[in-house]
PDB file of all heavy atoms in Angstrom:
ATOM      1  N   LEU A  85      15.881  29.149  11.997  1.00  0.00           N
ATOM      2  CA  LEU A  85      14.834  28.140  12.095  1.00  0.00           C
ATOM      3  C   LEU A  85      15.387  26.714  11.985  1.00  0.00           C
ATOM      4  O   LEU A  85      14.710  25.755  12.376  1.00  0.00           O
ATOM      5  CB  LEU A  85      13.766  28.367  11.026  1.00  0.00           C
ATOM      6  CG  LEU A  85      12.858  29.579  11.241  1.00  0.00           C
ATOM      7  CD1 LEU A  85      12.006  29.831  10.010  1.00  0.00           C
ATOM      8  CD2 LEU A  85      11.978  29.392  12.474  1.00  0.00           C
ATOM      9  N   ARG A  86      16.593  26.581  11.494  1.00  0.00           N
ATOM     10  CA  ARG A  86      17.201  25.250  11.402  1.00  0.00           C
ATOM     11  C   ARG A  86      17.433  24.646  12.786  1.00  0.00           C
ATOM     12  O   ARG A  86      17.626  23.432  12.920  1.00  0.00           O
ATOM     13  CB  ARG A  86      18.512  25.332  10.625  1.00  0.00           C
ATOM     14  CG  ARG A  86      18.318  25.848   9.205  1.00  0.00           C
ATOM     15  CD  ARG A  86      19.615  26.076   8.485  1.00  0.00           C
ATOM     16  NE  ARG A  86      20.088  24.853   7.871  1.00  0.00           N
ATOM     17  CZ  ARG A  86      21.075  24.809   6.963  1.00  0.00           C
ATOM     18  NH1 ARG A  86      21.671  25.926   6.579  1.00  0.00           N
ATOM     19  NH2 ARG A  86      21.448  23.662   6.456  1.00  0.00           N
ATOM     20  N   LYS A  87      17.362  25.477  13.820  1.00  0.00           N
ATOM     21  CA  LYS A  87      17.545  25.003  15.194  1.00  0.00           C
ATOM     22  C   LYS A  87      16.223  24.856  15.935  1.00  0.00           C
ATOM     23  O   LYS A  87      16.211  24.645  17.153  1.00  0.00           O
ATOM     24  CB  LYS A  87      18.458  25.965  15.960  1.00  0.00           C
ATOM     25  CG  LYS A  87      19.842  26.104  15.346  1.00  0.00           C
ATOM     26  CD  LYS A  87      20.682  27.118  16.103  1.00  0.00           C
ATOM     27  CE  LYS A  87      22.057  27.278  15.461  1.00  0.00           C
ATOM     28  NZ  LYS A  87      22.884  28.298  16.171  1.00  0.00           N
ATOM     29  N   ARG A  88      15.111  24.981  15.222  1.00  0.00           N
ATOM     30  CA  ARG A  88      13.796  24.959  15.869  1.00  0.00           C
ATOM     31  C   ARG A  88      12.958  23.744  15.468  1.00  0.00           C
ATOM     32  O   ARG A  88      11.726  23.792  15.517  1.00  0.00           O
ATOM     33  CB  ARG A  88      13.043  26.249  15.531  1.00  0.00           C
ATOM     34  CG  ARG A  88      13.753  27.537  15.912  1.00  0.00           C
ATOM     35  CD  ARG A  88      13.912  27.671  17.415  1.00  0.00           C
ATOM     36  NE  ARG A  88      14.490  28.950  17.791  1.00  0.00           N
ATOM     37  CZ  ARG A  88      13.768  30.026  18.069  1.00  0.00           C
ATOM     38  NH1 ARG A  88      12.457  29.986  17.995  1.00  0.00           N
ATOM     39  NH2 ARG A  88      14.353  31.147  18.426  1.00  0.00           N
ATOM     40  N   VAL A  89      13.600  22.668  15.097  1.00  0.00           N
ATOM     41  CA  VAL A  89      12.888  21.450  14.713  1.00  0.00           C
ATOM     42  C   VAL A  89      12.260  20.804  15.953  1.00  0.00           C
ATOM     43  O   VAL A  89      12.863  20.778  17.026  1.00  0.00           O
ATOM     44  CB  VAL A  89      13.850  20.457  14.027  1.00  0.00           C
ATOM     45  CG1 VAL A  89      13.168  19.119  13.763  1.00  0.00           C
ATOM     46  CG2 VAL A  89      14.375  21.059  12.728  1.00  0.00           C
ATOM     47  N   THR A  90      11.057  20.290  15.810  1.00  0.00           N
ATOM     48  CA  THR A  90      10.406  19.576  16.895  1.00  0.00           C
ATOM     49  C   THR A  90      11.197  18.315  17.222  1.00  0.00           C
ATOM     50  O   THR A  90      11.439  17.485  16.332  1.00  0.00           O
ATOM     51  CB  THR A  90       8.970  19.202  16.503  1.00  0.00           C
ATOM     52  OG1 THR A  90       8.236  20.399  16.221  1.00  0.00           O
ATOM     53  CG2 THR A  90       8.275  18.435  17.622  1.00  0.00           C
ATOM     54  N   PRO A  91      11.638  18.132  18.464  1.00  0.00           N
ATOM     55  CA  PRO A  91      12.418  16.937  18.823  1.00  0.00           C
ATOM     56  C   PRO A  91      11.678  15.652  18.462  1.00  0.00           C
ATOM     57  O   PRO A  91      10.479  15.516  18.698  1.00  0.00           O
ATOM     58  CB  PRO A  91      12.590  17.078  20.344  1.00  0.00           C
ATOM     59  CG  PRO A  91      12.493  18.555  20.587  1.00  0.00           C
ATOM     60  CD  PRO A  91      11.486  19.065  19.597  1.00  0.00           C
ATOM     61  N   GLY A  92      12.422  14.723  17.874  1.00  0.00           N
ATOM     62  CA  GLY A  92      11.841  13.445  17.480  1.00  0.00           C
ATOM     63  C   GLY A  92      11.371  13.390  16.040  1.00  0.00           C
ATOM     64  O   GLY A  92      11.227  12.296  15.477  1.00  0.00           O
ATOM     65  N   MET A  93      11.132  14.541  15.435  1.00  0.00           N
ATOM     66  CA  MET A  93      10.625  14.543  14.058  1.00  0.00           C
ATOM     67  C   MET A  93      11.647  14.010  13.045  1.00  0.00           C
ATOM     68  O   MET A  93      11.263  13.274  12.133  1.00  0.00           O
ATOM     69  CB  MET A  93      10.168  15.938  13.655  1.00  0.00           C
ATOM     70  CG  MET A  93       8.792  16.302  14.154  1.00  0.00           C
ATOM     71  SD  MET A  93       7.499  15.258  13.439  1.00  0.00           S
ATOM     72  CE  MET A  93       6.045  16.054  14.146  1.00  0.00           C
ATOM     73  N   PRO A  94      12.941  14.359  13.134  1.00  0.00           N
ATOM     74  CA  PRO A  94      13.884  13.827  12.137  1.00  0.00           C
ATOM     75  C   PRO A  94      13.885  12.294  12.093  1.00  0.00           C
ATOM     76  O   PRO A  94      13.872  11.703  11.012  1.00  0.00           O
ATOM     77  CB  PRO A  94      15.238  14.387  12.596  1.00  0.00           C
ATOM     78  CG  PRO A  94      14.883  15.666  13.300  1.00  0.00           C
ATOM     79  CD  PRO A  94      13.610  15.352  14.024  1.00  0.00           C
ATOM     80  N   ALA A  95      13.870  11.656  13.261  1.00  0.00           N
ATOM     81  CA  ALA A  95      13.880  10.197  13.299  1.00  0.00           C
ATOM     82  C   ALA A  95      12.587   9.622  12.722  1.00  0.00           C
ATOM     83  O   ALA A  95      12.606   8.617  11.998  1.00  0.00           O
ATOM     84  CB  ALA A  95      14.087   9.703  14.730  1.00  0.00           C
ATOM     85  N   LEU A  96      11.459  10.253  13.029  1.00  0.00           N
ATOM     86  CA  LEU A  96      10.183   9.773  12.497  1.00  0.00           C
ATOM     87  C   LEU A  96      10.144   9.888  10.980  1.00  0.00           C
ATOM     88  O   LEU A  96       9.713   8.958  10.285  1.00  0.00           O
ATOM     89  CB  LEU A  96       9.029  10.553  13.118  1.00  0.00           C
ATOM     90  CG  LEU A  96       7.632  10.233  12.554  1.00  0.00           C
ATOM     91  CD1 LEU A  96       7.293   8.759  12.707  1.00  0.00           C
ATOM     92  CD2 LEU A  96       6.566  11.108  13.228  1.00  0.00           C
ATOM     93  N   LEU A  97      10.612  10.998  10.444  1.00  0.00           N
ATOM     94  CA  LEU A  97      10.623  11.178   8.992  1.00  0.00           C
ATOM     95  C   LEU A  97      11.513  10.144   8.317  1.00  0.00           C
ATOM     96  O   LEU A  97      11.155   9.581   7.275  1.00  0.00           O
ATOM     97  CB  LEU A  97      11.090  12.595   8.642  1.00  0.00           C
ATOM     98  CG  LEU A  97      10.148  13.728   9.063  1.00  0.00           C
ATOM     99  CD1 LEU A  97      10.828  15.080   8.865  1.00  0.00           C
ATOM    100  CD2 LEU A  97       8.838  13.678   8.282  1.00  0.00           C
ATOM    101  N   ARG A  98      12.687   9.874   8.912  1.00  0.00           N
ATOM    102  CA  ARG A  98      13.572   8.843   8.350  1.00  0.00           C
ATOM    103  C   ARG A  98      12.879   7.482   8.335  1.00  0.00           C
ATOM    104  O   ARG A  98      12.955   6.743   7.349  1.00  0.00           O
ATOM    105  CB  ARG A  98      14.868   8.764   9.159  1.00  0.00           C
ATOM    106  CG  ARG A  98      15.847   9.891   8.882  1.00  0.00           C
ATOM    107  CD  ARG A  98      17.228   9.573   9.435  1.00  0.00           C
ATOM    108  NE  ARG A  98      17.223   9.370  10.869  1.00  0.00           N
ATOM    109  CZ  ARG A  98      17.395  10.348  11.769  1.00  0.00           C
ATOM    110  NH1 ARG A  98      17.566  11.594  11.349  1.00  0.00           N
ATOM    111  NH2 ARG A  98      17.389  10.081  13.055  1.00  0.00           N
ATOM    112  N   GLN A  99      12.209   7.158   9.420  1.00  0.00           N
ATOM    113  CA  GLN A  99      11.523   5.868   9.521  1.00  0.00           C
ATOM    114  C   GLN A  99      10.439   5.750   8.444  1.00  0.00           C
ATOM    115  O   GLN A  99      10.305   4.704   7.792  1.00  0.00           O
ATOM    116  CB  GLN A  99      10.902   5.734  10.907  1.00  0.00           C
ATOM    117  CG  GLN A  99      10.070   4.473  11.097  1.00  0.00           C
ATOM    118  CD  GLN A  99       9.350   4.479  12.439  1.00  0.00           C
ATOM    119  OE1 GLN A  99       9.799   5.112  13.398  1.00  0.00           O
ATOM    120  NE2 GLN A  99       8.231   3.791  12.505  1.00  0.00           N
TER     121      GLN A  99
END
Side-chain angles (χ1 to χ4, degrees):
L85 288 170
R86 300 174 85 167
K87 300 177 181 178
R88 303 295 185 91
V89 173
T90 300
M93 279 296 184
L96 175 58
L97 293 171
R98 284 194 300 271
Q99 176 187 334

